[in-house]
Amino acid sequence: MTEPINVPVSAPQGLAGQEGHVTENAEPVRPEVQWPDPATPTGDPLVDRALAVLDNVPATHVAEHGDLYAAVHDSLLEALDAEPGLPAAPQSTPRPEGDS
């Protein structure tokens, strides 16, 4: 749902162009997104590989974030299920929606 923007059509004198204010025929200035720093390596290669997928979040369209987070979740589950010292299990196939 789109919320109405309750700002004056032209900014008060002295505020034109400042953040959050609107001038005639201009969009409000939006703050830049502050993304978290990349994950600190954990020392577990399976966990580090799963968390590395999160580095793609800023470049991924918002509509695709759910799939990206689901992939990280599944990779972390595989890391938890892995036996220490044994090779990693093959990547699982994506589960159908609603399957847990």
Side-chain angles (χ1 to χ4, degrees), residues 2 13 17 29 34-35 42-44 47 51 53 58 60 64-65 69 73 75-76 91 94:
T2 303
Q13 187 176 7
V29 177
Q34 298 292 318
W35 294 102
T42 64
D44 184 318
V47 172
L51 295 178
V53 174
T60 305
E64 298 171 10
H65 283 189
Y69 293 134
H73 176 264
S75 294
L76 289 172
Q91 290 285 334

Side-chain angles (χ1 to χ4, degrees), residues 20-49:
H21 292 282
V22 176
T23 57
E24 286 187 45
N25 301 321
E27 290 290 319
V29 177
R30 302 203 187 274
E32 185 176 327
V33 174
Q34 298 292 318
W35 294 102
D37 294 331
T40 303
T42 64
D44 184 318
L46 295 176
V47 172
D48 290 341
R49 186 173 61 210

